[in-house]
């Protein structure tokens, strides 16, 4: 027996900003359909997914949630593995970047790169987007914001290790040119070359010192690995690269497909190949950047009224309704919009009307006219032959669609069998054949229909596996593990016991269901705790601000100013002068003797030529200003926190 060809497919490893929405399921469901298709088509598939658990963002989220980073990522792991189970995802391995073997291998990778001179130490000065964990130069920012997500960036200056990415620009371009399918779709290749490589590749900062939730660099442990290097390495550490047992690496690397969302193509087609070149490893065969599932105009789930919680949706409709929608509705490579209405309409049209009806009509007629046994086959007519050709031509078509990774086209091709078979029922009118006592023709018609269902269900198995299994159960046949049974039309033995059972899918009353979903979305919105602010500071950030009580011992107006008062404050043993813009609300006399709260470590500044050494805390609603004061007497100089 010949050895099966291997196929290594990966999703990005996921991180969560709190909870997963339907958009997060998109990459994983597509990869799952591809992996299942390849397995049935004779490949030895390895499907990898996992979680991206390090980085500043995780550390901040954990702090905001009042848990340790490890507890936070354990929660993330638990949530996502439940989600993949609910969606029937057939991954072969799940990697967590906090797994020991992964961390140790990332350290070895850094050591190797350092030893061969691909890494050097310097100082990073530039802009950092924490939500994207991305470094940017001033000129790359859009209106001062992150060009990827549009959020605030922070000026960062820290001692860092750098990877000599700039050395790889020419080799990268040469590689793209000699492997035109490496970056797909093609438009994304031009974007990478024109927007990132041609303007000049800068060396990449690959370590951080301002937080510690990451893989410590073995040669300088106050540095942790840059989360993107840590994350990208998962594709090889999961297979045993640089580990004692590297059988999987030897067998499956290089990857056949890294399927990723379009916003992270840059990391996968510039940073990742350059790292692989540095490690002297073969390149992955393809990085495909798919489009987004949009909610309104947004990639995220901000729009109101749409239930985009995949746990709710899978519990309500089952995994296959959601899988089918994601695989069929969004043109592959482009963005597509999610609405509840689109989900329900698509389900009714394709799964309830087309597929559900074909299966229930056929099994009902076999039951009614032939006591539930697949009848004998008579002579084929031209009409039958047309349908038979459609069935036997579909696997090669679907194979070609899946070569292009296009599940929407593959499903459209499979559903052509379903639609044609439904039309065949109307054309052949089995009920009339029964009435006329034409049992031989009736038997042939129902045999042809049963075979059409077997063909369609076999081909649907990678996409909607639960439904396919239920169909085979109704047909009284085992679920096929490959496409071998599609070689010949006529594989179903006559006499096979068929049973109709429940409907595969029940028709949805779209208007009523939309109202129900609206209610659910409102309930969810009410139950969702307020998300921590995007720019939330950490407790360490806050502790850098020194607040102390201070007694006003003298106060006067600042010359030529209506707004400013000059206050002399006793702060413990020290006396300070502070300028404050509260003259419109307080007289100097009123303030003398009062206790205020002072920001005592603010850099001194000159205001209207007068030195100000700190700032007093006030609340203001735009009309009035009131200073903050302790609720009871307390000595001046006391720390406030
Ligand atoms: N952790 C990084 C990946 C590191 S891989 C070495 C990351 N994680 S993510 O959780 O933000 O995204 C995981 C996948 O979900 C990406 O492919 C991303 O494009 C996809 N999606 C997240 N929201 C999406 C939509 N609304 N629509 C389609 N896919 C989107 O990036």
């Amino acid at each position: 027996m010949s050895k099966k060809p291997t196929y290594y497919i990966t999703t990005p490893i996921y991180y969560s900003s709190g909870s997963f929405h339907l958009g997060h399921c998109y990459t994983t469901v597509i990869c799952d359909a591809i992996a299942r298709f390849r397995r049935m088509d004779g490949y030895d598939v390895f499907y990898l997914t996992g979680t991206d658990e390090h980085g500043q963002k995780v550390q901040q989220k954990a702090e905001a949630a009042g848990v340790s980073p490890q507890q936070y990522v354990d929660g993330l792991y638990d949530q996502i593995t439940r989600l993949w189970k609910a969606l029937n995802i057939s991954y072969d391995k799940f990697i967590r970047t906090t797994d020991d073997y992964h961390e140790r291998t990332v350290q070895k990778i850094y050591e190797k790169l350092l030893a061969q001179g691909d890494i050097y130490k310097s100082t990073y000065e530039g802009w950092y987007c924490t939500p994207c964990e991305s470094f940017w130069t001033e000129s790359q920012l859009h209106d001062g914001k992150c060009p990827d997500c549009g959020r605030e960036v922070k000026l960062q200056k820290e001692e860092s290790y750098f990877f000599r990415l700039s050395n790889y620009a020419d080799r990268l371009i040469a590689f793209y040119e000699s492997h035109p399918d490496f970056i797909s779709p093609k438009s994304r290749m031009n974007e990478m070359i024109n927007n990132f490589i041609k303007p000049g590749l800068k060396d990449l900062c690959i370590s951080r010192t301002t937080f510690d939730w990451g893989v410590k660099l073995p040669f300088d442990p106050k540095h942790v690995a840059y989360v993107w290097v840590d994350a990208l390495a998962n594709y090889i550490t999961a297979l045993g690269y640089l580990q004692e047992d590297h059988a999987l690496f030897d067998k499956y690397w290089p990857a056949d497909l890294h399927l990723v969302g379009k916003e992270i193509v840059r990391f996968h087609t510039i940073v990742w190949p350059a790292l692989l070149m540095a490690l002297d490893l073969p390149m992955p065969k393809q990085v495909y950047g798919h489009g987004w599932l949009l909610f309104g105009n947004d990639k995220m789930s901000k729009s109101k009224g749409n239930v985009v919680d995949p746990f709710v949706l899978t519990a309500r409709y089952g995994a296959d309704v959601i899988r089918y929608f994601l695989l069929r509705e969004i043109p592959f490579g482009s963005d597509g919009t999610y609405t509840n209405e689109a989900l329900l309409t698509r389900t009714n049209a394709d799964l309830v009307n087309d597929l559900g009806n074909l299966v229930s009509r056929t099994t009902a007629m076999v039951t009614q006219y032939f006591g539930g046994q697949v009848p004998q086959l008579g002579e084929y007519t031209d009409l039958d032959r047309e349908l038979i050709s459609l069935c036997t031509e579909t696997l090669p078509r679907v194979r070609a669609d899946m070569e292009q990774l296009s599940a929407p086209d593959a499903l459209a091709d499979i559903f052509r069998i379903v639609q044609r078979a439904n039309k065949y029922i109307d054309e052949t009118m089995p009920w009339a054949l029964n009435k006329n006592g034409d049992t031989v023709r009736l038997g042939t018609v129902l045999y042809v229909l049963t075979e059409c269902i077997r063909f369609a269900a076999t081909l649907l198995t990678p996409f909607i596996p639960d439904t396919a299994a239920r169909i085979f159960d109704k047909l009284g046949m085992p679920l096929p593990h490959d496409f071998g049974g599609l070689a010949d039309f006529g594989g179903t033995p006559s006499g096979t016991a068929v049973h109709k059972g429940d409907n595969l899918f029940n028709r949805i009353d779209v208007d009523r269901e939309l109202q129900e979903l609206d209610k659910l979305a409102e309930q969810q919105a009410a139950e969702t705790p307020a998300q921590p602010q995007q720019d939330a500071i950490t407790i360490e950030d806050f502790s850098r601000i020194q607040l102390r009580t201070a007694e006003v011992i003298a106060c006067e107006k600042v010359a030529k100013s209506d707004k400013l008062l000059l206050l002399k404050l006793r702060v413990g043993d020290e006396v300070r002068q502070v300028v404050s813009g509260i003259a419109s609300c307080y007289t100097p006399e009123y303030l003398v003797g009062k206790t205020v709260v002072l920001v005592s470590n603010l850099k001194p500044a000159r205001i209207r030529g007068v030195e100000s050494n700190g700032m007093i805390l006030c609340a203001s609603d735009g009309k009035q200003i009131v200073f903050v004061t302790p609720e009871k007497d307390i000595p001046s100089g006391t720390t406030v926190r």
Side-chain angles (χ1 to χ4, degrees):
M1 213 175 103
S2 67
K3 234 173 82 194
K4 286 180 175 184
T6 57
Y7 190 80
Y8 179 31
I9 177 170
T10 69
T11 70
I13 47 174
Y14 282 73
Y15 36 58
S16 160
S17 50
S19 58
F20 294 101
H21 58 74
L22 197 58
H24 286 119
C25 305
Y26 186 62
T27 324
T28 305
V29 166
I30 297 174
C31 276
D32 189 63
I34 299 170
R36 285 175 182 269
F37 185 86
R38 291 273 176 171
R39 283 189 200 113
M40 286 186 73
D41 210 16
Y43 287 78
D44 175 344
V45 171
F46 195 82
Y47 173 17
L48 178 73
T49 191
T51 36
D52 191 352
E53 302 191 353
H54 289 130
Q56 188 170 12
K57 186 161 65 173
V58 169
Q59 186 160 336
Q60 287 176 353
K61 295 272 173 205
E63 271 157 14
V67 295
S68 70
Q70 190 60 54
Q71 283 169 324
Y72 180 83
V73 295
D74 286 348
L76 157 68
Y77 170 73
D78 176 61
Q79 202 188 28
I80 202 159
T81 44
R82 277 191 296 115
L83 180 58
W84 298 154
K85 198 161 177 224
L87 278 163
N88 228 335
I89 304 299
S90 64
Y91 53 79
D92 294 289
K93 177 158 182 162
F94 192 104
I95 182 170
R96 302 179 62 175
T97 52
T98 52
D99 286 337
D100 266 1
Y101 72 86
H102 170 81
E103 293 192 349
R104 280 197 306 272
T105 313
V106 169
Q107 290 180 324
K108 284 187 202 162
I109 291 174
Y110 270 79
E111 272 171 335
K112 186 168 159 61
L113 295 175
L114 183 79
Q116 66 193 36
D118 265 301
I119 288 182
Y120 63 93
K121 195 172 183 177
S122 180
T123 302
Y124 176 76
E125 196 166 359
W127 299 91
Y128 195 71
C129 173
T130 308
C132 293
E133 305 274 18
S134 295
F135 297 101
W136 299 105
T137 60
E138 181 92 38
S139 63
Q140 286 173 321
L141 301 180
H142 287 176
D143 298 329
K145 304 256 166 69
C146 170
D148 268 359
C149 71
R151 283 178 278 205
E152 296 292 334
V153 285
K154 287 209 179 97
L155 192 59
Q156 210 87 43
K157 184 173 179 186
E158 58 184 282
E159 177 195 275
S160 294
Y161 285 89
F162 284 79
F163 170 60
R164 295 190 194 278
L165 185 60
S166 58
N167 279 357
Y168 291 88
D170 293 342
R171 278 179 71 185
L172 283 172
I173 293 187
F175 177 71
Y176 301 159
E177 279 167 3
S178 56
H179 298 81
D181 293 330
F182 173 64
I183 308 180
S184 294
K186 275 224 159 41
S187 55
R188 309 219 195 277
M189 170 155 108
N190 302 334
E191 195 185 319
M192 291 305 119
I193 296 180
N194 297 332
N195 297 0
F196 294 103
I197 301 192
K198 289 226 166 117
L201 268 190
K202 297 225 164 16
D203 287 349
L204 180 70
C205 173
I206 54 158
S207 77
R208 306 287 313 275
T209 52
T210 49
F211 63 94
D212 62 1
W213 183 242
V215 178
K216 299 212 171 5
L217 301 198
F219 43 85
D220 200 345
K222 74 173 189 292
H223 289 253
V224 292
Y226 173 38
V227 68
W228 266 101
V229 174
D230 172 7
L232 288 161
N234 94 88
Y235 299 133
I236 50 178
T237 65
L239 299 180
Y241 173 65
L242 293 184
Q243 293 154 61
E244 206 172 311
D245 181 359
H246 45 79
L248 290 175
F249 183 74
D250 297 343
K251 181 172 183 188
Y252 291 107
W253 190 258
D256 292 272
L257 176 65
H258 292 311
L259 184 67
V260 303
K262 62 182 181 181
E263 80 285 10
I264 54 175
V265 166
R266 188 167 59 94
F267 294 100
H268 285 82
T269 58
I270 297 178
V271 179
W272 183 224
L275 282 169
L276 290 169
M277 284 172 184
L279 295 171
D280 204 15
L281 291 177
M283 291 295 126
K285 297 195 187 121
Q286 189 174 50
V287 173
Y288 193 103
H290 67 66
W292 289 336
L293 191 60
L294 300 173
F295 306 93
N297 290 323
D298 206 310
K299 174 178 167 241
M300 304 296 177
S301 55
K302 277 188 200 138
S303 72
K304 287 212 180 86
N306 282 321
V307 175
V308 288
D309 180 342
F311 286 105
V312 172
L313 292 175
T314 46
R316 204 169 173 84
Y317 306 115
D320 281 354
V321 165
I322 308 308
R323 288 175 65 104
Y324 184 78
F325 176 83
L326 293 175
L327 292 167
R328 175 70 183 88
E329 184 84 8
I330 320 295
F332 196 61
S334 323
D335 293 344
T337 300
Y338 174 84
T339 62
N340 291 336
E341 191 171 357
L343 172 73
L344 303 179
T345 316
R346 176 60 82 177
T347 305
N348 269 348
D350 295 8
L351 299 179
V352 181
N353 279 3
D354 290 349
L355 183 62
N357 270 346
L358 175 66
V359 173
S360 76
R361 286 162 94 190
T362 306
T363 49
M365 289 189 288
V366 173
T367 306
Q368 191 182 342
Y369 304 141
F370 292 96
Q373 296 200 333
V374 176
Q376 294 285 334
L377 182 61
E379 291 273 300
Y380 286 137
T381 64
D382 284 349
L383 188 65
D384 302 341
R385 282 192 204 94
E386 185 203 326
L387 205 54
I388 293 168
S389 307
L390 179 64
C391 284
T392 51
E393 284 159 10
T394 301
L395 174 61
R397 274 196 204 124
V398 172
R399 198 176 269 139
D401 297 329
M402 293 306 280
E403 268 306 312
Q404 302 302 313
L405 311 176
S406 181
D409 288 332
L411 285 168
D413 279 327
I414 301 168
F415 267 75
R416 244 166 239 132
I417 300 181
V418 175
Q419 285 146 1
R420 185 67 194 86
N422 272 322
K423 196 163 157 232
Y424 174 85
I425 298 182
D426 301 337
E427 289 164 348
T428 52
M429 295 193 292
W431 48 92
L433 296 172
N434 178 56
K435 205 164 160 199
N436 299 338
D438 195 347
T439 319
V440 175
R441 179 65 192 144
L442 177 64
T444 306
V445 165
L446 288 178
Y447 187 91
V448 168
L449 284 168
T450 310
E451 272 294 86
C452 285
I453 295 175
R454 184 178 70 83
F455 266 72
T458 305
L459 290 164
L460 284 172
T461 307
F463 306 93
I464 44 174
D466 280 347
T467 306
R470 288 172 63 209
I471 296 176
F472 276 99
D473 184 51
K474 287 176 189 297
L475 295 186
M477 293 177 220
L479 183 69
H481 296 294
D482 56 38
F483 296 126
L486 303 189
D488 291 310
F489 194 90
T492 304
S494 297
T496 305
V498 163
H499 74 101
K500 181 173 175 296
D502 294 340
N503 286 343
L504 282 180
F505 300 95
N506 288 320
R507 160 160 290 283
I508 303 171
D509 177 338
V510 175
D511 289 338
R512 254 223 341 250
E513 186 64 9
L514 281 175
Q515 284 174 13
E516 289 296 312
L517 289 177
D518 281 350
K519 271 193 231 149
L520 260 173
E522 274 164 31
Q523 266 171 25
Q524 275 197 329
E527 283 162 13
T528 309
Q531 291 290 314
Q533 276 180 4
Q534 212 49 262
D535 292 326
I537 62 167
T538 63
I539 194 78
E540 282 78 26
D541 293 336
F542 178 70
S543 67
R544 294 179 55 216
I545 302 170
Q546 287 169 17
L547 300 174
R548 296 171 76 189
T549 57
E551 185 193 347
V552 184
I553 50 176
C555 184
E556 63 187 56
K557 289 196 152 201
V558 171
K560 292 191 223 150
S561 168
D562 298 336
K563 292 196 186 131
L564 299 177
L565 293 181
L566 174 62
L567 296 97
K568 281 227 158 37
L569 304 175
R570 175 173 296 121
V571 192
D573 298 336
E574 194 193 336
V575 174
R576 294 263 193 117
Q577 89 170 22
V578 167
V579 175
S580 180
I582 55 176
S584 59
C585 294
Y586 292 108
T587 59
E589 302 75 52
Y590 179 82
L591 288 171
V592 174
K594 297 282 188 294
T595 299
V596 293
V597 176
L598 174 75
V599 182
S600 62
N601 62 338
L602 197 68
K603 268 198 188 131
R606 291 192 81 78
I607 305 176
R608 287 285 170 101
V610 184
E611 163 132 358
S612 178
N613 199 355
M615 181 178 87
I616 66 165
L617 292 190
C618 294
S620 173
D621 60 3
K623 291 185 216 113
Q624 55 168 348
I625 303 172
V626 294
F627 67 84
V628 174
T629 187
E631 190 250 338
K632 280 198 189 89
D633 275 354
I634 193 156
S636 83
T638 308
T639 298
V640 177
R641 54 168 74 120

